[in-house]
């Protein structure tokens, strides 16, 4: 699903934010990317969505070489990826239901299917009863669950999340972790970036550790 081949990213020469990073993740895996602040975690995620293109090396996602992909192909490629941002990025003046349905409308899903899918993902994250409320009336953990529901709505093959528990207390963090595990168990490839040690201990998944832009460790689940 994800293949990095000696990928290097330089924002401003000569400092490389990612340097010679190579790893592969299969479609059936769940992986955590960790490392100290500034190690390159968000940079790595942005290369998977092709917001950033490697300065050298190669990034291949779902069989597409993102260093060679044509501009016109990028939107289609992004549709197969769900992204959960740390700051949620929910639309403030739209209801929860609209926040999710909006994404499906952009993908030209017909109205009936949109409604059905929106209800399904909201039930799944346990927030169907809040469908008509505005995001600001939800707690941080609840908003995070909405952001996850929105990312999952188009049935992506790959789910990326950058610090998905960054704003949550340990209890809520474990709920979110459980949700990601369930998403993975249902057949979605999941890649989380986090520096939450407790979460990583509990997750029992493969852990890639970045240090100053280099892949320092690649540990199998314990
Ligand atoms: N747009 C940018 N322009 C220049 N340098 C950048 C840019 N974005 C990130 N960097 C630098 O690249 C390095 C990696 O940043 P990145 O955001 O990927 O780290 P991170 O591991 O996600 O950190 P955090 O845990 O704080 O989110 C850092 O040294 C950062 O200062
Ligand atoms: Mg980051």
């Amino acid at each position: 699903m994800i293949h990095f081949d000696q990928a290097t990213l330089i924002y401003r020469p000569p400092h490389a934010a990612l340097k010679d990073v190579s790893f592969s993740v299969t479609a059936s895996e769940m992986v955590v990317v960790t490392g100290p602040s500034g190690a390159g975690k968000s940079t790595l995620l942005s290369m998977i969505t092709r917001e950033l293109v490697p300065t050298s090396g190669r990034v291949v996602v779902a069989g597409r070489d993102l260093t060679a992909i044509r501009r016109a192909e990028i939107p289609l490629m992004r549709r197969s990826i769900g992204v959960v941002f740390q700051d949620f990025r929910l639309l403030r003046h739209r209801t929860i239901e609209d926040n999710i349905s909006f994404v499906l409308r952009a993908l030209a899903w017909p109205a009936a299917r949109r409604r059905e899918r929106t209800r399904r993902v909201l039930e799944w994250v346990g927030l169907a009863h809040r469908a008509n409320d505005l995001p600001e009336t939800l707690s941080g953990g609840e908003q995070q669950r909405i952001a996850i529901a929105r990312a999952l709505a188009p049935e992506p093959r790959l789910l990326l999340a950058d610090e998905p528990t960054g704003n949550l207390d340990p209890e809520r963090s474990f709920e979110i972790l459980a949700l990601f595990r369930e998403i993975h168990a249902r057949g979605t490839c999941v890649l989380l970036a986090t520096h939450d040690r407790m979460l990583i201990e509990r997750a029992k998944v493969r852990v890639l550790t970045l240090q100053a832009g280099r892949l320092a460790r690649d540990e199998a689940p314990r």
Side-chain angles (χ1 to χ4, degrees), residues 41-42 162-163:
K41 303 180 294 295
S42 299
D162 198 352
E163 294 291 352

Side-chain angles (χ1 to χ4, degrees), residues 1-2 23-32 157-159 180 183-185 187-192 205-208 218-221:
M1 178 61 78
I2 305 169
F23 66 92
S24 293
V25 173
T26 68
S28 60
E29 277 188 285
M30 172 160 166
V31 175
V32 164
R157 297 160 68 191
L158 171 61
L159 185 69
F180 280 117
I183 292 161
H184 171 242
T188 305
C189 179
V190 176
L191 191 130
L192 310 178
V205 296
R206 179 178 169 199
V207 180
L208 303 178
D218 182 348
E219 297 161 292

Side-chain angles (χ1 to χ4, degrees), residues 200-222:
I200 296 166
E201 288 296 317
R202 287 255 192 134
K204 299 208 176 355
V205 296
R206 179 178 169 199
V207 180
L208 303 178
T209 305
L210 292 172
Q211 232 137 41
R214 289 190 182 269
L215 185 56
R217 283 195 297 284
D218 182 348
E219 297 161 292
R222 275 175 291 162

Side-chain angles (χ1 to χ4, degrees), residues 150-172:
R150 181 184 55 185
L152 283 176
E155 303 174 331
R157 297 160 68 191
L158 171 61
L159 185 69
L160 306 178
D162 198 352
E163 294 291 352
T165 60
N167 299 313
L168 308 180
D169 62 43
E171 189 98 347
R172 299 283 94 74

Side-chain angles (χ1 to χ4, degrees), residues 36-133:
S37 181
K41 303 180 294 295
S42 299
T43 300
L44 186 146
L45 292 190
S46 301
M47 289 164 86
I48 298 171
T49 55
R50 210 195 175 271
E51 282 155 78
L52 294 173
V53 184
T55 312
S56 64
R58 243 167 31 117
V59 175
V60 180
V61 175
R64 283 167 190 268
D65 182 346
L66 301 190
T67 46
I69 193 170
R70 282 184 296 127
R71 189 164 290 272
E73 289 180 284
I74 295 171
L76 189 67
M77 170 256 148
R78 287 201 180 130
R79 280 180 207 176
S80 61
I81 305 178
V83 184
V84 181
F85 302 96
Q86 181 178 352
D87 57 357
F88 317 135
R89 303 199 191 170
L90 299 173
L91 302 169
R92 289 190 57 210
H93 301 291
R94 305 261 197 144
T95 64
I96 300 301
E97 182 175 7
D98 286 347
N99 262 275
I100 295 171
S101 188
F102 180 80
V103 174
L104 301 177
R105 192 169 334 130
L107 297 174
W109 284 41
R113 244 184 107 207
R114 279 205 310 264
R115 267 196 304 278
E116 156 72 21
R117 181 66 184 161
T118 299
R119 189 168 41 228
R120 164 105 24 116
V121 291
L122 281 177
E123 275 167 10
W124 198 34
V125 298
L127 288 168
H129 60 292
R130 305 299 301 269
N132 297 316
D133 295 337

